[in-house]
Amino acid sequence: MKNIVVFLVALYSTMFAVNSFASDGDLAIEITKGVDEPTPVAVVPFSWDGSSALPEDIARIVSADLGRTGLFAMMERKNMLSFPARRDQVFFRDWRVSNTEFLVIGRQQPAANGELVVEFELYDVLKEQPLLAERVTGRRDNMRGIAHYISDMIYEKLTGIRGAFSTRIVYVTAHAFGEGKVRYRLKMADADGARPITIREQSEPIMSPTWSRDATKLAYVSFETGKPRIYIQHLATGKRERLPSFRGLNGAPAWSPDGTKLALVLSKDGNPEIYIQDLRSPRLIRVTHHYGIDTEPTWSPDGQSLIFTSDRGGQPQIYRIHLPTRQLERITYEGNYNSRGRLTLDGRFLAMVHRGNDNVFRIAVQDLKTGRLDVLTDTFLDESPTIAPNGSIILYATQKGVKGVLGGVTLDGNVRFILPSASGDVREPAWSPYLQ
């Protein structure tokens, strides 16, 4: 078992093509493929009635949010014929001439205690009708949060799908410095990669971060003691606690939907198996019993089943076990390797790492209702898929040259993007649930 742990540390170190960088920076999304005919949208700069300059440009952030989806063609400000802030200033003919289908205008006003009031409207230019009119109040130091919230409302009105711009992502970065030294950081950022903060920094690897369903806690694996151990991080208070640890491997934590349990992988009995740890008591339940390697558990939305990876059939494939009955079924059959399964919140689609006949690791999605499997990416060494809470996008780790970066792809494969980091290699993404 010591050899397995040493192998994991070595494997994790080689996952990062570490380079030396001076400072940490935001992720920046770069669209690499969008839909063929994106919908033209214009977000006009919001007017401001205050006397001092604002720290952020809400309209620009909203425009960037919508543009990054690949679904919308955002008009550049230099091409706008006017900058209306109210309905009586809008001349729809001018916007039709520029082929704009939807128009967003807004106003910003100062409020008491450093707060900001933002009013905005979304218009259907062709019908000359308002589709949305809202008033939002928030702090000036959280203008990006206000902007993401507005983007969520506009996106849902235009697509019928709840927006996920206000959610967060966590990921792990590795930075080389000095002679063979590496610093690992567990970081959290907005869904667009902005406003990154470091949650944990250390010289030993960090792996497998995962969110609780209420988005208040993280569980992850740390090698800070020289052995893999599972920790829980409380985001609001900064409190950190270590789960009871066992001989050998302690890894791959996954929160139950109700937040009272963690599925995890232990090798305390000599072989990696799936267990469930009740966080309210010392109770530990063994779920799988097989001489093969069982790993990477994830819960079904109703909490009645676990999806996991196993090589019990000779090659890694994804299985499902029904917890009340222990009934086991194999889910994946296409390809010679399928692992790291992650479900959409409705339980219908399963994202995974897939290797086909070309022996290249890519991200694929399987419709569990029809059985259809679609390969979504054409990048290299793709791994660690995580799904946006609205089920629209899969975020994953990949390679760009010799550098580890994050990539994204919609579930239909029509939109793809890359999130290169200004510094360091990036791995192990996890997308938050909706923030309560």
Short mmCIF file of all heavy atoms in Angstrom, two decimals, residues 29-35 68-71 155 191 344 349-353 362-366 374-379 382-398 405-419 429 431:
data_model
loop_
_atom_site.label_atom_id
_atom_site.label_comp_id
_atom_site.label_asym_id
_atom_site.label_seq_id
_atom_site.Cartn_x
_atom_site.Cartn_y
_atom_site.Cartn_z
N ILE A 29 -10.96 33.71 -19.81
CA ILE A 29 -11.62 32.81 -20.76
C ILE A 29 -11.39 33.28 -22.19
O ILE A 29 -11.56 34.45 -22.53
CB ILE A 29 -13.13 32.74 -20.48
CG1 ILE A 29 -13.38 32.14 -19.09
CG2 ILE A 29 -13.84 31.93 -21.54
CD1 ILE A 29 -14.83 32.06 -18.70
N GLU A 30 -10.98 32.33 -23.03
CA GLU A 30 -10.80 32.58 -24.46
C GLU A 30 -11.69 31.61 -25.24
O GLU A 30 -11.51 30.40 -25.17
CB GLU A 30 -9.34 32.37 -24.86
CG GLU A 30 -8.35 33.27 -24.15
CD GLU A 30 -6.91 32.92 -24.48
OE1 GLU A 30 -6.70 31.96 -25.27
OE2 GLU A 30 -6.01 33.58 -23.96
N ILE A 31 -12.67 32.15 -25.97
CA ILE A 31 -13.56 31.31 -26.77
C ILE A 31 -12.77 30.74 -27.94
O ILE A 31 -12.11 31.46 -28.68
CB ILE A 31 -14.76 32.11 -27.30
CG1 ILE A 31 -15.62 32.64 -26.15
CG2 ILE A 31 -15.60 31.27 -28.24
CD1 ILE A 31 -16.37 31.58 -25.40
N THR A 32 -12.80 29.42 -28.09
CA THR A 32 -12.14 28.77 -29.23
C THR A 32 -13.13 28.28 -30.27
O THR A 32 -12.75 28.03 -31.41
CB THR A 32 -11.29 27.59 -28.75
OG1 THR A 32 -12.12 26.64 -28.07
CG2 THR A 32 -10.20 28.07 -27.79
N LYS A 33 -14.39 28.13 -29.88
CA LYS A 33 -15.42 27.73 -30.83
C LYS A 33 -16.78 28.18 -30.31
O LYS A 33 -17.11 27.95 -29.15
CB LYS A 33 -15.45 26.21 -31.02
CG LYS A 33 -16.55 25.71 -31.95
CD LYS A 33 -16.64 24.20 -31.97
CE LYS A 33 -17.82 23.74 -32.84
NZ LYS A 33 -17.99 22.26 -32.79
N GLY A 34 -17.56 28.85 -31.14
CA GLY A 34 -18.90 29.28 -30.77
C GLY A 34 -19.92 28.74 -31.75
O GLY A 34 -19.58 28.06 -32.72
N VAL A 35 -21.18 29.06 -31.51
CA VAL A 35 -22.23 28.61 -32.42
C VAL A 35 -22.08 29.35 -33.74
O VAL A 35 -21.52 30.45 -33.80
CB VAL A 35 -23.63 28.85 -31.82
CG1 VAL A 35 -23.82 27.98 -30.58
CG2 VAL A 35 -23.85 30.31 -31.48
N ARG A 68 -19.06 35.22 -23.47
CA ARG A 68 -18.26 34.02 -23.23
C ARG A 68 -19.05 32.73 -23.41
O ARG A 68 -18.47 31.66 -23.53
CB ARG A 68 -17.64 34.07 -21.83
CG ARG A 68 -16.38 34.90 -21.76
CD ARG A 68 -15.69 34.73 -20.42
NE ARG A 68 -16.50 35.29 -19.34
CZ ARG A 68 -16.34 36.52 -18.86
NH1 ARG A 68 -15.40 37.31 -19.36
NH2 ARG A 68 -17.08 36.96 -17.87
N THR A 69 -20.37 32.82 -23.40
CA THR A 69 -21.16 31.60 -23.62
C THR A 69 -21.06 31.11 -25.05
O THR A 69 -21.37 29.95 -25.32
CB THR A 69 -22.64 31.86 -23.30
OG1 THR A 69 -23.19 32.78 -24.26
CG2 THR A 69 -22.81 32.42 -21.89
N GLY A 70 -20.63 31.98 -25.98
CA GLY A 70 -20.58 31.61 -27.39
C GLY A 70 -21.93 31.66 -28.07
O GLY A 70 -22.02 31.47 -29.29
N LEU A 71 -22.99 31.93 -27.30
CA LEU A 71 -24.35 31.96 -27.87
C LEU A 71 -24.71 33.32 -28.42
O LEU A 71 -25.64 33.44 -29.22
CB LEU A 71 -25.37 31.56 -26.80
CG LEU A 71 -25.20 30.18 -26.17
CD1 LEU A 71 -26.23 30.00 -25.05
CD2 LEU A 71 -25.37 29.10 -27.22
N TYR A 155 -29.61 36.02 -19.14
CA TYR A 155 -29.38 34.71 -19.78
C TYR A 155 -30.61 33.83 -19.67
O TYR A 155 -31.01 33.17 -20.65
CB TYR A 155 -28.17 34.05 -19.11
CG TYR A 155 -27.80 32.70 -19.68
CD1 TYR A 155 -26.98 32.59 -20.79
CD2 TYR A 155 -28.24 31.53 -19.07
CE1 TYR A 155 -26.63 31.35 -21.30
CE2 TYR A 155 -27.90 30.28 -19.57
CZ TYR A 155 -27.09 30.20 -20.68
OH TYR A 155 -26.75 28.97 -21.19
N ALA A 191 -17.04 32.36 -11.48
CA ALA A 191 -17.16 31.38 -12.57
C ALA A 191 -16.40 31.82 -13.82
O ALA A 191 -16.04 30.97 -14.64
CB ALA A 191 -18.63 31.15 -12.91
N THR A 344 -25.17 15.51 -14.17
CA THR A 344 -25.93 16.76 -14.10
C THR A 344 -26.93 16.66 -12.95
O THR A 344 -27.27 15.56 -12.49
CB THR A 344 -26.67 17.02 -15.43
OG1 THR A 344 -27.46 15.87 -15.76
CG2 THR A 344 -25.70 17.30 -16.55
N PHE A 349 -27.52 13.22 -17.54
CA PHE A 349 -26.29 13.19 -18.33
C PHE A 349 -25.08 12.91 -17.43
O PHE A 349 -24.97 13.44 -16.32
CB PHE A 349 -26.10 14.50 -19.07
CG PHE A 349 -27.15 14.75 -20.11
CD1 PHE A 349 -28.26 15.54 -19.83
CD2 PHE A 349 -27.05 14.18 -21.38
CE1 PHE A 349 -29.24 15.76 -20.77
CE2 PHE A 349 -28.02 14.40 -22.34
CZ PHE A 349 -29.12 15.19 -22.03
N LEU A 350 -24.18 12.08 -17.96
CA LEU A 350 -22.98 11.69 -17.25
C LEU A 350 -21.76 12.17 -18.04
O LEU A 350 -21.51 11.70 -19.14
CB LEU A 350 -22.93 10.17 -17.10
CG LEU A 350 -21.68 9.57 -16.44
CD1 LEU A 350 -21.65 9.92 -14.96
CD2 LEU A 350 -21.64 8.06 -16.65
N ALA A 351 -21.01 13.12 -17.47
CA ALA A 351 -19.75 13.56 -18.07
C ALA A 351 -18.65 12.65 -17.56
O ALA A 351 -18.70 12.16 -16.43
CB ALA A 351 -19.46 15.01 -17.70
N MET A 352 -17.62 12.45 -18.40
CA MET A 352 -16.56 11.51 -18.03
C MET A 352 -15.30 11.77 -18.83
O MET A 352 -15.31 12.49 -19.84
CB MET A 352 -17.03 10.08 -18.30
CG MET A 352 -17.14 9.75 -19.78
SD MET A 352 -18.01 8.20 -20.13
CE MET A 352 -19.71 8.71 -19.91
N VAL A 353 -14.21 11.16 -18.38
CA VAL A 353 -12.99 11.07 -19.17
C VAL A 353 -13.09 9.79 -19.99
O VAL A 353 -13.28 8.70 -19.45
CB VAL A 353 -11.74 11.03 -18.28
CG1 VAL A 353 -10.48 10.89 -19.13
CG2 VAL A 353 -11.67 12.28 -17.41
N ARG A 362 -10.23 12.18 -23.77
CA ARG A 362 -11.07 13.34 -24.07
C ARG A 362 -12.27 13.35 -23.13
O ARG A 362 -12.56 12.37 -22.44
CB ARG A 362 -11.53 13.30 -25.53
CG ARG A 362 -10.39 13.46 -26.54
CD ARG A 362 -10.93 13.73 -27.93
NE ARG A 362 -9.86 14.08 -28.85
CZ ARG A 362 -9.25 13.24 -29.67
NH1 ARG A 362 -9.62 11.96 -29.68
NH2 ARG A 362 -8.30 13.65 -30.48
N ILE A 363 -12.99 14.47 -23.12
CA ILE A 363 -14.21 14.58 -22.32
C ILE A 363 -15.40 14.15 -23.18
O ILE A 363 -15.55 14.59 -24.32
CB ILE A 363 -14.42 16.01 -21.81
CG1 ILE A 363 -13.21 16.45 -20.96
CG2 ILE A 363 -15.70 16.10 -20.99
CD1 ILE A 363 -12.92 15.59 -19.77
N ALA A 364 -16.22 13.29 -22.61
CA ALA A 364 -17.41 12.80 -23.30
C ALA A 364 -18.60 12.93 -22.37
O ALA A 364 -18.45 13.09 -21.14
CB ALA A 364 -17.23 11.35 -23.75
N VAL A 365 -19.79 12.86 -22.94
CA VAL A 365 -21.02 12.89 -22.14
C VAL A 365 -21.94 11.79 -22.65
O VAL A 365 -22.06 11.58 -23.86
CB VAL A 365 -21.71 14.27 -22.20
CG1 VAL A 365 -22.17 14.61 -23.61
CG2 VAL A 365 -22.87 14.34 -21.22
N GLN A 366 -22.56 11.08 -21.72
CA GLN A 366 -23.48 10.01 -22.07
C GLN A 366 -24.87 10.35 -21.56
O GLN A 366 -25.05 10.73 -20.40
CB GLN A 366 -23.02 8.68 -21.46
CG GLN A 366 -23.91 7.50 -21.82
CD GLN A 366 -23.29 6.17 -21.43
OE1 GLN A 366 -22.08 5.99 -21.55
NE2 GLN A 366 -24.11 5.25 -20.96
N ASP A 374 -21.40 10.97 -26.59
CA ASP A 374 -20.81 11.96 -27.50
C ASP A 374 -19.48 12.45 -26.95
O ASP A 374 -19.39 12.86 -25.79
CB ASP A 374 -21.74 13.15 -27.69
CG ASP A 374 -23.02 12.79 -28.41
OD1 ASP A 374 -22.94 12.22 -29.51
OD2 ASP A 374 -24.11 13.06 -27.87
N VAL A 375 -18.44 12.39 -27.79
CA VAL A 375 -17.14 12.96 -27.43
C VAL A 375 -17.18 14.45 -27.72
O VAL A 375 -17.50 14.87 -28.84
CB VAL A 375 -16.01 12.27 -28.21
CG1 VAL A 375 -14.67 12.91 -27.87
CG2 VAL A 375 -15.98 10.78 -27.89
N LEU A 376 -16.85 15.28 -26.73
CA LEU A 376 -17.06 16.72 -26.83
C LEU A 376 -15.81 17.52 -27.12
O LEU A 376 -15.89 18.63 -27.63
CB LEU A 376 -17.68 17.25 -25.52
CG LEU A 376 -19.00 16.61 -25.08
CD1 LEU A 376 -19.47 17.25 -23.78
CD2 LEU A 376 -20.06 16.75 -26.16
N THR A 377 -14.64 17.00 -26.77
CA THR A 377 -13.42 17.81 -26.87
C THR A 377 -12.45 17.23 -27.88
O THR A 377 -12.51 16.05 -28.23
CB THR A 377 -12.72 17.92 -25.50
OG1 THR A 377 -12.29 16.61 -25.09
CG2 THR A 377 -13.65 18.49 -24.45
N ASP A 378 -11.56 18.08 -28.35
CA ASP A 378 -10.50 17.63 -29.25
C ASP A 378 -9.14 18.10 -28.75
O ASP A 378 -8.20 18.26 -29.51
CB ASP A 378 -10.74 18.13 -30.68
CG ASP A 378 -10.86 19.64 -30.76
OD1 ASP A 378 -10.67 20.31 -29.72
OD2 ASP A 378 -11.15 20.15 -31.86
N THR A 379 -9.06 18.35 -27.43
CA THR A 379 -7.81 18.77 -26.83
C THR A 379 -7.03 17.54 -26.37
O THR A 379 -7.33 16.42 -26.75
CB THR A 379 -8.09 19.74 -25.66
OG1 THR A 379 -9.27 19.31 -24.95
CG2 THR A 379 -8.33 21.14 -26.16
N ASP A 382 -7.25 15.36 -21.54
CA ASP A 382 -8.36 15.97 -20.81
C ASP A 382 -8.71 15.12 -19.59
O ASP A 382 -8.70 13.88 -19.66
CB ASP A 382 -9.58 16.09 -21.72
CG ASP A 382 -9.29 16.93 -22.97
OD1 ASP A 382 -8.36 17.75 -22.91
OD2 ASP A 382 -9.99 16.76 -23.97
N GLU A 383 -9.06 15.78 -18.49
CA GLU A 383 -9.36 15.06 -17.25
C GLU A 383 -10.19 15.93 -16.33
O GLU A 383 -10.44 17.11 -16.60
CB GLU A 383 -8.06 14.64 -16.55
CG GLU A 383 -7.19 15.82 -16.16
CD GLU A 383 -5.83 15.43 -15.62
OE1 GLU A 383 -5.39 14.31 -15.92
OE2 GLU A 383 -5.24 16.24 -14.89
N SER A 384 -10.65 15.34 -15.23
CA SER A 384 -11.31 16.03 -14.12
C SER A 384 -12.51 16.88 -14.55
O SER A 384 -12.57 18.07 -14.25
CB SER A 384 -10.30 16.92 -13.37
OG SER A 384 -9.21 16.18 -12.92
N PRO A 385 -13.51 16.30 -15.24
CA PRO A 385 -14.68 17.11 -15.61
C PRO A 385 -15.52 17.50 -14.40
O PRO A 385 -15.62 16.77 -13.43
CB PRO A 385 -15.46 16.15 -16.53
CG PRO A 385 -15.09 14.79 -16.06
CD PRO A 385 -13.64 14.89 -15.65
N THR A 386 -16.08 18.70 -14.46
CA THR A 386 -17.03 19.18 -13.46
C THR A 386 -18.09 19.97 -14.20
O THR A 386 -17.79 20.66 -15.19
CB THR A 386 -16.32 20.04 -12.39
OG1 THR A 386 -17.27 20.51 -11.43
CG2 THR A 386 -15.62 21.24 -13.01
N ILE A 387 -19.33 19.88 -13.76
CA ILE A 387 -20.46 20.41 -14.53
C ILE A 387 -21.05 21.63 -13.84
O ILE A 387 -21.24 21.63 -12.61
CB ILE A 387 -21.55 19.33 -14.72
CG1 ILE A 387 -20.95 18.06 -15.33
CG2 ILE A 387 -22.67 19.85 -15.61
CD1 ILE A 387 -21.93 16.91 -15.44
N ALA A 388 -21.36 22.66 -14.61
CA ALA A 388 -22.04 23.84 -14.08
C ALA A 388 -23.39 23.42 -13.50
O ALA A 388 -24.02 22.48 -13.99
CB ALA A 388 -22.25 24.88 -15.18
N PRO A 389 -23.86 24.10 -12.45
CA PRO A 389 -25.11 23.67 -11.82
C PRO A 389 -26.33 23.74 -12.72
O PRO A 389 -27.32 23.05 -12.47
CB PRO A 389 -25.25 24.62 -10.62
CG PRO A 389 -24.38 25.79 -10.95
CD PRO A 389 -23.24 25.24 -11.76
N ASN A 390 -26.27 24.55 -13.79
CA ASN A 390 -27.40 24.57 -14.73
C ASN A 390 -27.25 23.53 -15.83
O ASN A 390 -28.08 23.46 -16.74
CB ASN A 390 -27.58 25.97 -15.33
CG ASN A 390 -26.38 26.43 -16.15
OD1 ASN A 390 -25.41 25.69 -16.33
ND2 ASN A 390 -26.45 27.65 -16.65
N GLY A 391 -26.19 22.71 -15.76
CA GLY A 391 -26.03 21.63 -16.72
C GLY A 391 -25.63 22.08 -18.12
O GLY A 391 -25.68 21.28 -19.05
N SER A 392 -25.18 23.31 -18.26
CA SER A 392 -24.92 23.83 -19.60
C SER A 392 -23.47 23.62 -20.05
O SER A 392 -23.21 23.47 -21.24
CB SER A 392 -25.24 25.33 -19.66
OG SER A 392 -24.40 26.06 -18.77
N ILE A 393 -22.53 23.61 -19.11
CA ILE A 393 -21.10 23.61 -19.45
C ILE A 393 -20.36 22.59 -18.59
O ILE A 393 -20.64 22.43 -17.40
CB ILE A 393 -20.49 25.01 -19.24
CG1 ILE A 393 -21.09 26.01 -20.23
CG2 ILE A 393 -18.97 24.98 -19.40
CD1 ILE A 393 -20.64 27.44 -20.00
N ILE A 394 -19.39 21.92 -19.22
CA ILE A 394 -18.45 21.07 -18.50
C ILE A 394 -17.10 21.77 -18.46
O ILE A 394 -16.57 22.16 -19.50
CB ILE A 394 -18.29 19.70 -19.19
CG1 ILE A 394 -19.64 18.98 -19.25
CG2 ILE A 394 -17.27 18.85 -18.45
CD1 ILE A 394 -19.60 17.72 -20.09
N LEU A 395 -16.57 21.96 -17.28
CA LEU A 395 -15.23 22.50 -17.10
C LEU A 395 -14.30 21.32 -16.83
O LEU A 395 -14.68 20.37 -16.15
CB LEU A 395 -15.22 23.47 -15.92
CG LEU A 395 -14.02 24.40 -15.75
CD1 LEU A 395 -13.93 25.37 -16.92
CD2 LEU A 395 -14.14 25.16 -14.43
N TYR A 396 -13.09 21.38 -17.37
CA TYR A 396 -12.17 20.24 -17.23
C TYR A 396 -10.73 20.74 -17.29
O TYR A 396 -10.45 21.87 -17.68
CB TYR A 396 -12.43 19.20 -18.32
CG TYR A 396 -12.24 19.72 -19.74
CD1 TYR A 396 -11.05 19.50 -20.42
CD2 TYR A 396 -13.25 20.43 -20.39
CE1 TYR A 396 -10.86 19.97 -21.71
CE2 TYR A 396 -13.07 20.91 -21.67
CZ TYR A 396 -11.88 20.68 -22.34
OH TYR A 396 -11.69 21.16 -23.61
N ALA A 397 -9.81 19.87 -16.89
CA ALA A 397 -8.39 20.17 -16.97
C ALA A 397 -7.82 19.59 -18.25
O ALA A 397 -8.19 18.50 -18.67
CB ALA A 397 -7.65 19.59 -15.77
N THR A 398 -6.91 20.34 -18.88
CA THR A 398 -6.31 19.89 -20.13
C THR A 398 -4.91 20.47 -20.27
O THR A 398 -4.40 21.12 -19.35
CB THR A 398 -7.21 20.26 -21.33
OG1 THR A 398 -6.70 19.67 -22.53
CG2 THR A 398 -7.30 21.77 -21.51
N VAL A 405 -3.99 23.82 -18.16
CA VAL A 405 -5.00 24.88 -18.17
C VAL A 405 -6.37 24.26 -17.96
O VAL A 405 -6.53 23.04 -17.97
CB VAL A 405 -4.97 25.67 -19.51
CG1 VAL A 405 -3.62 26.33 -19.72
CG2 VAL A 405 -5.31 24.75 -20.68
N LEU A 406 -7.36 25.10 -17.80
CA LEU A 406 -8.74 24.65 -17.74
C LEU A 406 -9.41 24.89 -19.08
O LEU A 406 -9.16 25.89 -19.75
CB LEU A 406 -9.51 25.38 -16.64
CG LEU A 406 -8.99 25.22 -15.21
CD1 LEU A 406 -9.93 25.90 -14.24
CD2 LEU A 406 -8.80 23.76 -14.86
N GLY A 407 -10.25 23.95 -19.48
CA GLY A 407 -11.05 24.10 -20.70
C GLY A 407 -12.51 23.99 -20.35
O GLY A 407 -12.90 23.51 -19.28
N GLY A 408 -13.36 24.44 -21.26
CA GLY A 408 -14.80 24.34 -21.06
C GLY A 408 -15.48 23.97 -22.36
O GLY A 408 -15.01 24.33 -23.45
N VAL A 409 -16.58 23.24 -22.26
CA VAL A 409 -17.34 22.85 -23.43
C VAL A 409 -18.80 22.70 -23.02
O VAL A 409 -19.11 22.25 -21.92
CB VAL A 409 -16.80 21.52 -24.03
CG1 VAL A 409 -16.88 20.38 -23.03
CG2 VAL A 409 -17.51 21.16 -25.32
N THR A 410 -19.71 23.13 -23.89
CA THR A 410 -21.12 22.93 -23.62
C THR A 410 -21.48 21.46 -23.82
O THR A 410 -20.78 20.72 -24.50
CB THR A 410 -21.98 23.80 -24.55
OG1 THR A 410 -21.60 23.57 -25.92
CG2 THR A 410 -21.79 25.28 -24.23
N LEU A 411 -22.59 21.03 -23.21
CA LEU A 411 -22.96 19.63 -23.28
C LEU A 411 -23.29 19.16 -24.68
O LEU A 411 -23.23 17.97 -24.96
CB LEU A 411 -24.15 19.34 -22.35
CG LEU A 411 -23.76 18.69 -21.02
CD1 LEU A 411 -23.00 19.66 -20.14
CD2 LEU A 411 -24.99 18.17 -20.27
N ASP A 412 -23.61 20.11 -25.58
CA ASP A 412 -23.85 19.73 -26.97
C ASP A 412 -22.58 19.84 -27.81
O ASP A 412 -22.59 19.51 -29.00
CB ASP A 412 -24.97 20.56 -27.58
CG ASP A 412 -24.70 22.06 -27.54
OD1 ASP A 412 -23.55 22.47 -27.25
OD2 ASP A 412 -25.64 22.83 -27.79
N GLY A 413 -21.48 20.32 -27.21
CA GLY A 413 -20.21 20.42 -27.92
C GLY A 413 -20.10 21.60 -28.86
O GLY A 413 -19.06 21.76 -29.52
N ASN A 414 -21.11 22.47 -28.91
CA ASN A 414 -21.11 23.55 -29.89
C ASN A 414 -20.24 24.74 -29.49
O ASN A 414 -19.82 25.52 -30.34
CB ASN A 414 -22.54 24.05 -30.12
CG ASN A 414 -23.36 23.08 -30.94
OD1 ASN A 414 -22.82 22.33 -31.76
ND2 ASN A 414 -24.67 23.07 -30.73
N VAL A 415 -19.98 24.90 -28.19
CA VAL A 415 -19.17 26.02 -27.72
C VAL A 415 -18.01 25.47 -26.89
O VAL A 415 -18.21 24.62 -26.02
CB VAL A 415 -20.00 27.00 -26.87
CG1 VAL A 415 -19.11 28.14 -26.36
CG2 VAL A 415 -21.17 27.55 -27.67
N ARG A 416 -16.81 25.94 -27.18
CA ARG A 416 -15.62 25.53 -26.43
C ARG A 416 -14.81 26.76 -26.05
O ARG A 416 -14.80 27.75 -26.78
CB ARG A 416 -14.75 24.58 -27.26
CG ARG A 416 -15.44 23.29 -27.66
CD ARG A 416 -14.57 22.50 -28.61
NE ARG A 416 -15.28 21.35 -29.17
CZ ARG A 416 -14.89 20.69 -30.25
NH1 ARG A 416 -13.80 21.06 -30.89
NH2 ARG A 416 -15.60 19.66 -30.69
N PHE A 417 -14.12 26.68 -24.93
CA PHE A 417 -13.25 27.78 -24.51
C PHE A 417 -12.12 27.25 -23.66
O PHE A 417 -12.15 26.12 -23.15
CB PHE A 417 -14.03 28.87 -23.77
CG PHE A 417 -14.78 28.39 -22.55
CD1 PHE A 417 -14.15 28.30 -21.31
CD2 PHE A 417 -16.12 28.04 -22.62
CE1 PHE A 417 -14.82 27.87 -20.19
CE2 PHE A 417 -16.81 27.60 -21.51
CZ PHE A 417 -16.16 27.52 -20.28
N ILE A 418 -11.10 28.07 -23.49
CA ILE A 418 -9.94 27.78 -22.67
C ILE A 418 -9.80 28.88 -21.62
O ILE A 418 -10.05 30.05 -21.90
CB ILE A 418 -8.66 27.70 -23.53
CG1 ILE A 418 -8.73 26.51 -24.48
CG2 ILE A 418 -7.41 27.58 -22.66
CD1 ILE A 418 -8.67 25.16 -23.81
N LEU A 419 -9.40 28.50 -20.39
CA LEU A 419 -9.13 29.48 -19.34
C LEU A 419 -7.65 29.41 -18.98
O LEU A 419 -7.27 28.76 -17.99
CB LEU A 419 -9.97 29.21 -18.09
CG LEU A 419 -11.47 29.42 -18.15
CD1 LEU A 419 -12.17 28.18 -18.67
CD2 LEU A 419 -12.01 29.76 -16.77
N PRO A 429 -10.41 21.18 -11.36
CA PRO A 429 -11.50 22.15 -11.17
C PRO A 429 -12.72 21.51 -10.52
O PRO A 429 -12.97 20.31 -10.67
CB PRO A 429 -11.81 22.59 -12.61
CG PRO A 429 -11.49 21.37 -13.43
CD PRO A 429 -10.29 20.75 -12.77
N TRP A 431 -16.84 22.91 -9.90
CA TRP A 431 -17.82 24.00 -10.05
C TRP A 431 -18.78 23.96 -8.88
O TRP A 431 -19.32 22.89 -8.54
CB TRP A 431 -18.57 23.84 -11.36
CG TRP A 431 -19.07 25.12 -11.94
CD1 TRP A 431 -19.71 26.14 -11.28
CD2 TRP A 431 -18.96 25.55 -13.30
NE1 TRP A 431 -20.01 27.17 -12.12
CE2 TRP A 431 -19.56 26.83 -13.39
CE3 TRP A 431 -18.44 24.96 -14.45
CZ2 TRP A 431 -19.66 27.53 -14.58
CZ3 TRP A 431 -18.52 25.66 -15.64
CH2 TRP A 431 -19.12 26.93 -15.71
#
